[in-house]
Amino acid sequence: EPEVTQTPSHQVTQMGQEVILRCVPISNHLYFYWYRQILGQKVEFLVSFYNNEISEKSEIFDDQFSVERPDGSNFTLKIRSTKLEDSAMYFCAAFGQLNTEAFFGQGTRLTVV
Amino acid sequence: AQKVTQAQTEISVVEKEDVTLDCVYETRDTTYYLFWYKQPPSGELVFLIRRNSFDEQNEISGRYSWNFQKSTSSFNFTITASQVVDSAVYFCALSEETTSGTYKYIFGTGTRLKVLA
């Protein structure tokens, strides 16, 4: 069973629409992250989340983005009004103890048209 | 600033050749962790290894080996007797302590390895 599961695997959306990307880590994970990889480029940090609040965010993570863990299990990334340049692979990552290896989900490929 | 450099953008080898992927890092932290991840064509990130800054022993796992040299800030990855299934993008990453006391990964730009039959 994978440590981190992401849904959907692929989402196509129209520019301006809201999208929600979902991540389900296993129950003993404490630290959660979203990363983004624009096609063919490096994996970039977006945001980290611990103890039900954002602990760090990058300059990419502007007001269009938000994260939450509403029910103690799912960890979501919402993009309020998608832009073409939001097209990328989005990875959720989680780990239980600080500085152990992060378990990455299989990614959600977001295509904004 | 923390930084990870993978100078090799793409490497092509013939099956059974050995190949080394280079990773050079910069950090101000005295305690840090280094990682290698594999990204096959299917897109997921597969964890390969974690190494802490106090452990400079080289590690071997099957056909994979890692050479950590603190003196040159390098953490190189060698695949022995490469196979077509090794074709992927390989990322080196460095953990960085954040202002909130948690950690985040800084990734290199990746090296695309093509193993030809």
Side-chain angles (χ1 to χ4, degrees):
Chain A
E1 186 186 346
E3 296 266 351
V4 177
T5 304
Q6 287 184 244
T7 57
S9 56
H10 190 190
Q11 176 142 6
V12 181
T13 189
Q14 292 210 327
M15 196 167 54
Q17 294 295 304
E18 175 183 285
V19 294
I20 297 176
L21 310 183
R22 290 186 169 78
C23 171
V24 182
I26 64 173
S27 58
N28 63 350
H29 287 158
L30 300 174
Y31 303 88
F32 308 99
Y33 299 78
W34 283 102
Y35 281 81
R36 179 182 83 174
Q37 184 184 30
I38 294 171
L39 186 63
Q41 297 187 26
K42 69 192 290 185
V43 180
E44 301 174 291
F45 169 77
L46 289 178
V47 65
S48 59
F49 191 85
Y50 169 67
N51 204 23
N52 286 322
E53 60 183 22
I54 290 174
S55 48
E56 183 91 5
K57 60 183 180 179
S58 72
E59 57 274 10
I60 301 169
F61 194 88
D62 61 22
D63 292 343
Q64 291 298 313
F65 291 90
S66 63
V67 289
E68 60 177 6
R69 198 166 177 233
D71 55 9
S73 59
N74 291 294
F75 177 51
T76 62
L77 174 69
K78 183 193 291 187
I79 309 175
R80 264 182 269 285
S81 177
T82 50
K83 303 186 280 270
L84 293 176
E85 53 265 37
D86 293 327
S87 296
M89 181 79 101
Y90 289 81
F91 290 101
C92 171
F95 52 79
Q97 300 292 325
L98 269 183
N99 247 338
T100 55
E101 62 271 16
F103 293 95
F104 282 83
Q106 79 280 22
T108 293
R109 185 171 298 283
L110 176 65
T111 304
V112 182
V113 296
Chain B
Q2 321 272 75
K3 192 176 165 185
V4 176
T5 301
Q6 294 180 256
Q8 303 151 308
T9 307
E10 185 169 313
I11 301 175
S12 291
V13 298
V14 176
E15 211 172 15
K16 296 183 186 172
E17 284 185 2
D18 298 348
V19 59
T20 295
L21 310 181
D22 297 333
C23 173
V24 174
Y25 63 92
E26 293 174 34
T27 180
R28 59 180 179 269
D29 295 342
T30 52
T31 302
Y32 53 89
Y33 288 79
L34 294 160
F35 304 81
W36 276 94
Y37 281 84
K38 174 182 179 180
Q39 187 176 43
S42 49
E44 71 272 25
L45 288 168
V46 179
F47 167 77
L48 295 178
I49 190 170
R50 176 178 75 120
R51 177 54 48 122
N52 79 52
S53 51
F54 296 107
D55 182 3
E56 286 196 70
Q57 278 199 328
N58 290 333
E59 179 148 345
I60 298 175
S61 176
R63 296 185 296 108
Y64 295 170
S65 61
W66 291 269
N67 183 353
F68 176 32
Q69 300 234 340
K70 215 166 169 179
S71 59
T72 55
S73 297
S74 65
F75 186 43
N76 296 337
F77 173 32
T78 297
I79 302 174
T80 303
S82 58
Q83 298 175 2
V84 172
V85 293
D86 296 327
S87 297
V89 180
Y90 290 86
F91 289 96
C92 180
L94 167 71
S95 67
E96 174 190 50
E97 186 170 5
T98 68
T99 52
S100 61
T102 59
Y103 288 85
K104 67 182 182 190
Y105 289 15
I106 306 296
F107 281 84
T109 49
T111 297
R112 181 178 298 279
L113 174 65
K114 291 184 178 177
V115 182
L116 308 170

